[in-house]
Amino acid sequence: RQNVIYEMKYSQLIDILHEYDDEIVKRIEDSIDERIITLNEKRLGLGKEPLHSWYKTYALLQEVTKMAMKVASGSVTVAHSIDEIQEFSVTSFYEVGLGIGLIDRDHDMVPYSYV
């Protein structure tokens, strides 16, 4: 790889979270599963296909990374690359971190207009 300063495996991120709280990874997974069910119910009502199966994988990677980095470093800055996050996007799963309470909207998130 070129220009990589530091790299961690997903399993290392999971280990960081387990050291912080034995149950947090299960809570993340359960929250993502619940969100997928809710979004799929909404999509069904709109006559749309369910979310692709890979949503869970990407949502887990996204949320585990943010939360593990916050635990490891003491802080994290979340800056989304778009102003309005679409309801059915993988990015919308940021709400999982907020719901679990490890990511704080006021202290950890930067509005798009500041980026």
Side-chain angles (χ1 to χ4, degrees):
R1 296 183 192 254
Q2 294 180 354
N3 300 319
V4 173
I5 295 171
Y6 189 76
E7 183 174 75
M8 294 182 76
K9 294 180 180 180
Y10 183 79
S11 61
Q12 291 172 297
L13 299 173
I14 294 292
D15 289 345
I16 289 169
L17 290 173
H18 277 296
E19 287 178 25
Y20 172 76
D21 177 342
D22 292 5
E23 298 296 318
I24 196 164
V25 174
K26 181 173 179 0
R27 288 175 42 218
I28 294 168
E29 289 179 6
D30 289 348
S31 295
I32 287 171
D33 287 340
E34 289 170 18
R35 182 153 175 80
I36 288 171
I37 289 167
T38 299
L39 291 175
N40 280 338
E41 287 171 353
K42 285 184 180 181
R43 290 179 67 83
L44 180 65
L46 296 170
K48 294 184 176 189
E49 294 289 320
L51 298 172
H52 293 282
S53 60
W54 50 260
Y55 265 70
K56 180 175 181 174
T57 301
Y58 282 98
L60 278 169
L61 179 58
Q62 172 179 280
E63 295 311 306
V64 164
T65 299
K66 286 187 285 193
M67 290 185 232
M69 289 296 95
K70 179 157 185 191
V71 168
S73 68
S75 67
V76 68
T77 301
V78 178
H80 292 121
S81 59
I82 55 175
D83 195 17
E84 188 175 323
I85 297 171
Q86 299 299 312
E87 179 179 24
F88 300 115
S89 69
V90 174
T91 302
S92 74
F93 283 79
Y94 79 93
E95 294 179 7
V96 168
L98 297 176
I100 287 176
L102 198 51
I103 303 298
D104 182 271
R105 184 183 308 272
D106 295 329
H107 296 101
D108 299 326
M109 299 187 70
V110 178
Y112 176 76
S113 60
Y114 292 162
V115 177

